[in-house]
């Protein structure tokens, strides 16, 4: 009986899957879901029945192998026990440190507001433009003078009213022009090389055309399609983001402080026992 068939047989109870002695209850799967699935992925999985069923099926496989391994006595294998103890210590220590950090309970809202005021400029949204261009490359077959003349030809045709997208398809040496017809979409100034960005952002009105502008790629004729002015994000827009960032930073700081506290304990090492261990392990190898 497949996993989904087994799940169907459990209808009417709180069991999601039953097979022999193995029963996966809603609570068990919920616990697994909480600790194994990243928080930002849970909502997506819960809204997608196919993914939810696949997650349940994968958990069933894990649990079934757990049952079989236990029946085979693998849980009593000395190597497994050693690894389990080590992992338990690591997990317990990490959980303990996280809990100590959480109990510090800083006022994240207050700290976030202070950071927002101090670094307000970093929460500004830069201006963007949507522009199209025709690129005339300078290459072995076309020197700079010929490239400029061809760019001026394109500009003259555009000023006479020829469709800019058609000109881009016909003239542009930008490989993407065949698919985007020269339209680069919205971009911030920092995304483009400076001569191009300066010329594009200097255009004021929809449909404005630039004079040919030279960049490392050749000559560009640029058409402005639309502008989006820059704006300052409000504190409310970014509060959650800042609080999460500060919380992560403080948690790391607190954890490091706790680690240093324990590292600072006055611990005496038994040198003779350590040498005996060293010798014993070297001989065992």
């Amino acid at each position: 009986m497949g996993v989904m068939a087994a799940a169907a047989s459990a209808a009417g109870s709180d069991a999601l899957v039953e097979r022999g002695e193995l029963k996966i209850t809603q609570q068990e799967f919920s616990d697994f879901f909480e600790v194994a699935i990243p928080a930002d992925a849970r909502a997506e999985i819960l809204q997608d029945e196919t993914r939810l069923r696949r997650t349940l099926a994968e958990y069933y496989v894990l649990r079934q192998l757990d049952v079989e391994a236990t029946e085979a006595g693998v849980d009593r294998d000395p190597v497994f026990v050693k690894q389990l103890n080590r992992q338990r210590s690591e997990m317990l220590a990490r959980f303990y440190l996280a809990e100590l950090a959480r109990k510090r309970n800083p006022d994240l809202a207050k700290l976030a507001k202070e950071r927002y005021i101090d670094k307000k400029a970093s929460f500004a949204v830069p201006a963007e433009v949507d522009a199209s261009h025709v690129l005339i490359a300078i290459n072995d077959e076309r020197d700079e003078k010929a490239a400029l003349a061809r760019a001026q030809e394109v500009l003259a045709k555009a000023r006479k009213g020829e469709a800019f997208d058609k000109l881009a398809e016909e003239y542009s040496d930008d490989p993407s022009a065949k698919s985007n017809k020269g339209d680069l979409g919205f971009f911030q100034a920092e995304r483009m090389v400076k001569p191009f960005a300066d010329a594009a952002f200097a255009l004021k009105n929809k449909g404005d055309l630039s004079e040919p502008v030279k960049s490392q790629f050749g000559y560009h004729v640029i058409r402005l399609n639309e502008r989006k002015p820059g704006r300052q994000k409000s504190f409310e827009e970014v509060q959650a983001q800042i609080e999460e960032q500060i919380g992560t930073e403080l948690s790391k700081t607190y954890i490091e402080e706790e680690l240093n506290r324990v590292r600072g304990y006055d611990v005496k090492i038994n040198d003779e026992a350590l040498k005996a261990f060293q010798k014993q392990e070297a001989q065992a190898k």
Side-chain angles (χ1 to χ4, degrees), residues 33 37-49 51-52:
F33 208 79
I37 307 299
D40 57 356
R42 292 172 199 159
E44 292 182 10
I45 294 176
L46 289 171
Q47 293 170 7
D48 186 334
E49 185 176 345
R51 290 182 66 187
L52 182 60

Side-chain angles (χ1 to χ4, degrees), residues 237-252:
E237 287 180 88
V238 297
Q239 181 177 358
Q241 169 194 335
I242 301 175
E243 287 186 10
E244 181 179 1
Q245 182 183 45
I246 293 176
T248 300
E249 292 170 0
L250 289 178
S251 180
K252 289 180 178 178

Side-chain angles (χ1 to χ4, degrees), residues 74-87:
V74 176
D75 59 326
R76 299 185 297 277
D77 183 283
V79 175
F80 170 77
V81 172
K82 291 176 183 177
Q83 291 184 1
L84 181 62
N85 289 336
R86 177 184 61 81
Q87 291 178 2

